[in-house]
CSV table of all heavy atoms in Angstrom, one decimal:
chain,number,residue,atom,x,y,z
D,372,LEU,N,5.6,104.0,110.2
D,372,LEU,CA,6.4,105.0,109.5
D,372,LEU,C,5.6,106.2,109.0
D,372,LEU,O,6.0,107.3,109.1
D,372,LEU,CB,7.0,104.3,108.3
D,372,LEU,CG,8.3,104.9,107.8
D,372,LEU,CD1,9.4,104.7,108.8
D,372,LEU,CD2,8.7,104.2,106.5
D,373,GLY,N,4.4,105.9,108.6
D,373,GLY,CA,3.5,106.9,108.0
D,373,GLY,C,3.2,108.0,108.9
D,373,GLY,O,3.4,109.2,108.6
D,374,GLY,N,2.9,107.7,110.1
D,374,GLY,CA,2.6,108.7,111.1
D,374,GLY,C,3.8,109.6,111.3
D,374,GLY,O,3.7,110.9,111.4
D,375,HIS,N,5.0,109.0,111.4
D,375,HIS,CA,6.2,109.8,111.7
D,375,HIS,C,6.4,110.7,110.5
D,375,HIS,O,6.8,111.9,110.7
D,375,HIS,CB,7.4,108.8,111.9
D,375,HIS,CG,7.3,108.1,113.1
D,375,HIS,ND1,6.3,108.3,114.1
D,375,HIS,CD2,8.1,107.1,113.6
D,375,HIS,CE1,6.5,107.4,115.1
D,375,HIS,NE2,7.6,106.7,114.8
D,376,ILE,N,6.3,110.2,109.3
D,376,ILE,CA,6.6,111.1,108.1
D,376,ILE,C,5.6,112.2,108.1
D,376,ILE,O,6.0,113.4,107.8
D,376,ILE,CB,6.4,110.2,106.8
D,376,ILE,CG1,7.6,109.2,106.8
D,376,ILE,CG2,6.5,111.1,105.6
D,376,ILE,CD1,7.6,108.3,105.6
D,377,VAL,N,4.3,112.0,108.4
D,377,VAL,CA,3.3,113.1,108.4
D,377,VAL,C,3.7,114.1,109.5
D,377,VAL,O,3.7,115.3,109.2
D,377,VAL,CB,1.9,112.5,108.7
D,377,VAL,CG1,0.9,113.6,108.9
D,377,VAL,CG2,1.5,111.7,107.5
D,378,ILE,N,4.1,113.6,110.7
D,378,ILE,CA,4.5,114.6,111.7
D,378,ILE,C,5.7,115.4,111.3
D,378,ILE,O,5.7,116.6,111.4
D,378,ILE,CB,4.8,113.8,113.0
D,378,ILE,CG1,3.5,113.3,113.7
D,378,ILE,CG2,5.6,114.7,114.0
D,378,ILE,CD1,3.8,112.4,114.9
D,379,LEU,N,6.7,114.7,110.7
D,379,LEU,CA,7.9,115.4,110.3
D,379,LEU,C,7.5,116.5,109.2
D,379,LEU,O,8.0,117.6,109.2
D,379,LEU,CB,8.9,114.5,109.7
D,379,LEU,CG,9.7,113.7,110.8
D,379,LEU,CD1,10.5,112.6,110.2
D,379,LEU,CD2,10.6,114.6,111.6
D,380,SER,N,6.6,116.1,108.3
D,380,SER,CA,6.2,117.0,107.3
D,380,SER,C,5.5,118.2,107.8
D,380,SER,O,5.8,119.4,107.4
D,380,SER,CB,5.2,116.3,106.3
D,380,SER,OG,5.8,115.1,105.8
D,381,PHE,N,4.7,118.0,108.8
D,381,PHE,CA,4.0,119.2,109.4
D,381,PHE,C,5.0,120.1,110.1
D,381,PHE,O,4.9,121.3,110.0
D,381,PHE,CB,3.0,118.7,110.5
D,381,PHE,CG,1.7,118.2,109.9
D,381,PHE,CD1,1.0,117.2,110.5
D,381,PHE,CD2,1.2,118.8,108.8
D,381,PHE,CE1,-0.2,116.7,110.0
D,381,PHE,CE2,0.0,118.3,108.2
D,381,PHE,CZ,-0.7,117.3,108.8
D,382,ILE,N,6.0,119.5,110.7
D,382,ILE,CA,7.0,120.4,111.4
D,382,ILE,C,7.8,121.1,110.3
D,382,ILE,O,8.2,122.3,110.4
D,382,ILE,CB,7.9,119.5,112.3
D,382,ILE,CG1,7.1,119.1,113.5
D,382,ILE,CG2,9.1,120.3,112.8
D,382,ILE,CD1,7.8,118.1,114.4
D,383,CYS,N,8.1,120.4,109.2
D,383,CYS,CA,8.9,121.0,108.1
D,383,CYS,C,8.1,122.2,107.5
D,383,CYS,O,8.8,123.1,107.0
D,383,CYS,CB,9.3,120.0,107.1
D,383,CYS,SG,10.6,118.9,107.6
D,384,PHE,N,6.8,122.1,107.6
D,384,PHE,CA,6.0,123.2,107.0
D,384,PHE,C,6.5,124.5,107.6
D,384,PHE,O,6.6,125.6,106.9
D,384,PHE,CB,4.5,123.1,107.4
D,384,PHE,CG,3.8,122.2,106.4
D,384,PHE,CD1,2.6,121.6,106.8
D,384,PHE,CD2,4.2,122.1,105.1
D,384,PHE,CE1,1.9,120.8,105.9
D,384,PHE,CE2,3.6,121.3,104.2
D,384,PHE,CZ,2.4,120.6,104.6
D,385,ILE,N,6.8,124.5,108.9
D,385,ILE,CA,7.2,125.7,109.6
D,385,ILE,C,8.4,126.3,108.9
D,385,ILE,O,8.5,127.5,108.7
D,385,ILE,CB,7.5,125.4,111.1
D,385,ILE,CG1,6.2,124.9,111.8
D,385,ILE,CG2,7.9,126.7,111.8
D,385,ILE,CD1,6.5,124.4,113.2
D,386,PHE,N,9.3,125.4,108.6
D,386,PHE,CA,10.6,126.0,108.1
D,386,PHE,C,10.5,126.3,106.6
D,386,PHE,O,11.1,127.2,106.1
D,386,PHE,CB,11.7,124.9,108.3
D,386,PHE,CG,11.9,124.6,109.8
D,386,PHE,CD1,11.4,123.5,110.4
D,386,PHE,CD2,12.5,125.6,110.6
D,386,PHE,CE1,11.5,123.2,111.7
D,386,PHE,CE2,12.6,125.3,112.0
D,386,PHE,CZ,12.1,124.2,112.5
D,387,ILE,N,9.6,125.5,105.9
D,387,ILE,CA,9.4,125.9,104.5
D,387,ILE,C,8.8,127.3,104.4
D,387,ILE,O,9.2,128.1,103.6
D,387,ILE,CB,8.5,124.8,103.8
D,387,ILE,CG1,9.3,123.5,103.7
D,387,ILE,CG2,8.0,125.3,102.5
D,387,ILE,CD1,8.4,122.3,103.4
D,388,PHE,N,7.7,127.5,105.2
D,388,PHE,CA,7.1,128.8,105.2
D,388,PHE,C,8.1,129.9,105.8
D,388,PHE,O,8.1,131.0,105.4
D,388,PHE,CB,5.8,128.8,106.0
D,388,PHE,CG,4.7,128.3,105.1
D,388,PHE,CD1,4.3,126.9,105.2
D,388,PHE,CD2,4.0,129.1,104.2
D,388,PHE,CE1,3.3,126.4,104.4
D,388,PHE,CE2,3.0,128.5,103.5
D,388,PHE,CZ,2.6,127.2,103.6
D,389,GLY,N,8.9,129.4,106.8
D,389,GLY,CA,9.8,130.4,107.4
D,389,GLY,C,10.8,130.9,106.4
D,389,GLY,O,11.3,132.0,106.5
D,390,SER,N,11.2,130.0,105.4
D,390,SER,CA,12.2,130.5,104.4
D,390,SER,C,11.6,131.6,103.5
D,390,SER,O,12.3,132.3,102.9
D,390,SER,CB,12.6,129.3,103.6
D,390,SER,OG,11.5,128.8,102.8
Side-chain angles (χ1 to χ4, degrees):
Chain D
L372 206 67
H375 291 354
I376 290 176
V377 171
I378 286 175
L379 283 170
S380 305
F381 280 148
I382 291 174
C383 283
F384 275 158
I385 301 173
F386 301 104
I387 291 166
F388 280 94
S390 67

